[in-house]
Amino acid sequence: IRVAAEIIFPTWLLLDCLARFSGESPHTRIELIESVMGGTPEALILKQADLAIAASIPQGFSGDALMRARFVLAAHPDHPLHQLGRKLTMSDLAAHRHLVVRESGTRRDTRPSMEVEQRWTVGQLSTSIEAATRGHGFAWFPEERIRTELSAGALKPLPMREGGERFVELYLVFADREGAGSGTTRLAEIIREEVARKCPTRMRRVNQDRQPASA
């Protein structure tokens, strides 16, 4: 079973899902594609994945809301931005190095997410996290992917005047829902169950957004 998963999906949770599935189907091989932004829907379009955890649903496919990922803007506690002693603005950020993870798809959006004087673009989220913990810059990080660094004090959220957090919806998408095999269908069930059980607050946010607004 080929699974394309956005790198913003918690690694620990994905591994729990795969481990549970392998406990039921130990002889089923799993190929994991760790993708970034446009690379995830592209894996579906190019028929490189049977199942995807994606931040967008490509045209012609259907997907179910899975969870909402929270992003925080963070840097090492000793970073100059933390030493200003006040709420920060986008102008404050512009004078410092922004760490960015490159899209994994072939059709990359090369437009920068913010205008800064310095930027490092890397290929892996782990590299961006390591660079930030060494004081080399700031970045938007999925909160779940840096919880260890936040707890250890290696990273600290930047005190933005506004816009210090962002949210990205993640969807569970089949390459071919009708033609999916029993293994792919079962793995999708396990992913939904594990997210609901281990990230209930994130699921509530998704379900609340599905509710129609009251008059």
Side-chain angles (χ1 to χ4, degrees):
I1 301 174
R2 300 166 301 169
V3 181
E6 275 281 350
I7 61 170
I8 63 177
F9 187 73
T11 302
W12 63 268
L13 181 54
L14 180 58
L15 294 176
D16 284 354
C17 294
L18 297 181
R20 179 178 164 189
F21 175 79
S22 293
E24 298 179 6
S25 303
H27 299 297
T28 300
R29 296 179 180 179
I30 300 291
E31 179 182 349
L32 177 61
I33 302 169
E34 297 176 283
S35 46
V36 184
M37 295 187 289
T40 313
E42 184 175 285
L44 291 168
I45 294 170
L46 297 179
K47 303 184 184 304
Q48 297 172 342
D50 304 302
L51 187 67
I53 299 173
S56 63
I57 303 172
Q59 187 173 1
F61 294 81
S62 62
D64 298 318
L66 184 62
M67 66 180 289
R68 172 173 288 184
R70 179 176 183 257
F71 279 67
V72 294
L73 192 62
H76 189 276
D78 293 335
H79 191 280
L81 286 168
H82 279 301
Q83 310 311 311
L84 295 178
R86 57 173 172 78
K87 296 289 185 179
L88 306 177
T89 65
M90 295 301 290
S91 296
D92 294 320
L93 301 180
H96 298 272
R97 183 181 299 115
H98 184 202
L99 304 171
V100 180
V101 180
R102 181 186 301 107
E103 282 196 57
S104 60
T106 56
R107 299 178 180 179
R108 296 170 182 164
D109 186 351
T110 57
R111 295 170 298 176
S113 58
M114 64 175 68
E115 293 297 330
V116 293
E117 295 179 4
Q118 303 176 58
R119 179 178 292 107
W120 283 2
T121 301
V122 301
Q124 299 291 334
L125 180 60
S126 58
T127 306
S128 179
I129 294 173
E130 178 72 14
T133 60
R134 290 173 176 266
H136 296 316
F138 68 89
W140 288 99
F141 291 116
E143 185 180 31
E144 288 287 348
R145 292 296 302 269
I146 59 167
R147 58 179 185 168
T148 299
E149 288 78 10
L150 290 173
S151 297
L155 289 176
K156 180 180 177 181
L158 288 167
M160 298 299 295
R161 180 178 298 171
E162 58 185 16
E165 64 177 4
R166 296 177 179 176
F167 295 92
V168 174
E169 301 292 350
L170 290 174
Y171 303 88
L172 188 61
V173 187
F174 282 89
D176 180 2
R177 187 183 294 267
E178 297 302 321
S182 58
T184 301
T185 301
R186 178 54 183 154
L187 178 56
E189 292 175 350
I190 288 174
I191 291 173
R192 293 191 195 97
E193 291 171 2
E194 290 296 299
V195 169
R197 185 163 67 91
K198 297 178 178 178
C199 298
T201 58
R202 303 300 169 83
M203 285 298 296
R204 276 202 297 272
R205 292 292 292 270
V206 170
N207 292 331
Q208 286 170 358
D209 290 345
R210 289 176 174 172
Q211 299 296 321
S214 57

